[in-house]
Amino acid sequence: QVQLVESGGGSVQAGGSLRLTCAARGFSYGLFCMAWFRQAPGKEREKVAHISPSGVRSEYDDSVKGRFSISRDNSESVLYLEMNNLKQEDTAMYYCASAGGATCYTDLGRYVYWGQGTQVTVSS
């Protein structure tokens, strides 16, 4: 059974940092593209970053470039999102997701496995 479990969310002041973790099991984690998405209240879910199966290639949404860093540990089947210099507009539920294959997509609909999410709240 595929399972993605996020942790590490919380409340932080603007300018602070958080590290999100996603523990994966039940599929060939090291062969699949992984991504972080977020959804703020009243807004559509959007992709924050994705990372190739090997971890060599990653891409970021313009809104987080230079502040967030996605990484993965294939030996432990864990995905990370290091978030620095957090802003109020980063407040959202954050989800990890798998594309179900090696290719990373922009389209949210191509991601087949999802976690339940972890809340990040950034205050002024």
Side-chain angles (χ1 to χ4, degrees):
Q1 182 180 356
V2 173
Q3 195 172 20
L4 296 173
V5 180
E6 302 95 336
S7 61
S11 297
V12 64
Q13 287 190 322
S17 299
L18 284 173
R19 188 193 199 198
L20 305 185
T21 299
C22 173
R25 56 175 59 93
F27 64 103
S28 300
Y29 175 80
L31 300 180
F32 287 6
C33 171
M34 297 295 296
W36 285 99
F37 287 79
R38 67 185 179 185
Q39 188 168 18
K43 295 188 177 181
E44 293 185 352
R45 193 171 296 190
E46 61 179 5
K47 184 155 65 73
V48 174
H50 70 234
I51 187 167
S52 62
S54 67
V56 171
R57 292 184 301 277
S58 58
E59 288 189 10
Y60 299 87
D61 184 81
D62 286 345
S63 64
V64 305
K65 280 182 181 177
R67 300 188 298 120
F68 289 14
S69 178
I70 188 171
S71 60
R72 62 191 297 163
D73 182 341
N74 286 348
S75 66
E76 298 291 335
S77 297
V78 179
L79 180 71
Y80 301 102
L81 184 68
E82 187 76 36
M83 305 186 295
N84 298 311
N85 191 21
L86 282 160
K87 303 177 181 180
Q88 281 187 275
E89 51 263 43
D90 295 318
T91 294
M93 186 71 79
Y94 283 72
Y95 301 88
C96 72
S98 170
T103 302
C104 292
Y105 302 99
T106 300
D107 183 3
L108 176 153
R110 301 298 294 265
Y111 288 81
V112 296
Y113 303 134
W114 292 86
Q116 293 301 304
T118 185
Q119 177 68 38
V120 172
T121 302
V122 184
S123 60
S124 61

